[in-house]
Amino acid sequence: MVNALESISSVAEILDLLPAEEMQHMKRVGILVDCFTEKLLLCDLFNECLDTHKYFGRAAFYHDIGKVWIPNSILTKPDRLTKSERIIICDHPLYAQKLFTQIRQGLISGIPEYLFQLAMDSSLYHHEWWNGNGYPYGIKRYEIPLIARITSICDAFDAMTSTRIYCKGHSHEHAYQELKKCAGTQFDPELVSAFLLMRPDTAFYFNA
């Protein structure tokens, strides 16, 4: 995989290397982010994103692009990951940072300029926690860009409710309760409250 990436010059080529299951997850999260953000704006919440909100879903699609540097044997492993494998997985935002540096330098093409900052923020910071206990940078609260705080909730919701090779999906209700439980620690509590109130059109996005 590493050797294959050395000759790559576009984001499209990178995405082609990801397992189909990962691509489907990224698409679902992008759709859910788009839907949730639209509902936030309709309710006149979080006006800080008014200028760029229409791009949030498209940008959030790239949130896991750093996983292309994670061996497929780990990404598609049907059993529980070992401690060392989990550590490797947790490096994917750092790999994304390297990728976006290469994009900024013009070495890799494929992400439009209007999406660049949003896509980078989503991919670098979606595993940061509201209380500062996330990774890879340990930032907290409003240090975490809004798109990353939204992506974090949608990513977790999809991870909990989708059947993957290594686990069976939980019900939506289970996921809502888990989000509520982690509000104020892992997730922005105000965003979780809005997500639970709006329950943004989750019925259709699983078919993406």
Side-chain angles (χ1 to χ4, degrees):
M1 177 70 77
V2 174
N3 291 336
L5 286 164
E6 288 176 355
S7 61
I8 277 179
S9 60
S10 74
V11 169
E13 293 175 87
I14 289 173
L15 295 174
D16 282 343
L17 294 174
L18 282 165
E21 191 175 79
E22 291 295 335
M23 282 293 294
Q24 289 302 312
H25 166 68
M26 291 165 65
K27 288 177 182 177
R28 289 193 302 266
V29 170
I31 291 170
L32 189 54
V33 167
D34 184 59
C35 183
F36 182 33
T37 304
E38 284 295 326
K39 286 182 176 290
L40 289 173
L41 269 295
L42 286 173
C43 295
D44 200 27
L45 295 173
F46 302 100
N47 285 334
E48 63 185 279
C49 68
L50 272 172
D51 292 337
T52 58
H53 76 278
K54 61 185 176 183
Y55 303 132
F56 272 29
R58 275 177 274 178
F61 162 73
Y62 297 102
H63 75 284
D64 269 347
I65 196 169
K67 284 186 176 178
V68 74
W69 279 271
I70 307 300
N72 281 353
S73 59
I74 294 178
L75 293 179
T76 60
K77 184 178 179 181
D79 304 314
R80 184 182 297 272
L81 296 178
T82 64
K83 183 178 180 179
S84 62
E85 288 170 337
R86 285 196 299 273
I87 291 172
I88 292 171
I89 284 277
C90 288
D91 280 342
H92 73 273
L94 297 175
Y95 291 127
Q97 183 178 42
K98 294 179 181 179
L99 169 63
F100 280 94
T101 297
Q102 291 178 299
I103 294 172
R104 181 185 283 120
Q105 293 171 344
L107 301 174
I108 293 178
S109 64
I111 294 184
E113 185 176 349
Y114 68 89
L115 282 184
F116 179 84
Q117 188 64 50
L118 292 173
M120 182 171 68
D121 286 346
S122 180
S123 63
L124 267 60
Y125 304 118
H126 68 283
H127 284 298
E128 300 295 345
W129 283 27
W130 182 252
N131 66 4
N133 288 338
Y135 66 86
Y137 306 104
I139 60 176
K140 62 184 177 181
R141 297 175 66 88
Y142 298 108
E143 296 172 339
I144 307 168
L146 176 61
I147 188 173
R149 284 181 271 138
I150 290 175
T151 303
S152 176
I153 292 170
C154 296
D155 180 42
F157 183 87
D158 184 73
M160 287 187 281
T161 56
S162 298
T163 295
R164 310 289 287 271
I165 192 170
Y166 47 81
C167 69
K168 188 178 186 302
H170 294 285
S171 68
H172 288 193
E173 202 55 47
H174 171 87
Y176 293 135
Q177 291 305 313
E178 288 299 306
L179 290 175
K180 184 176 180 179
K181 187 187 303 181
C182 296
T185 53
Q186 184 172 353
F187 306 113
D188 179 333
E190 193 172 4
L191 282 175
V192 168
S193 294
F195 191 91
L196 296 178
L197 179 65
M198 298 172 183
R199 304 200 172 198
D201 296 345
T202 52
F204 77 85
Y205 93 100
F206 288 106
N207 296 318

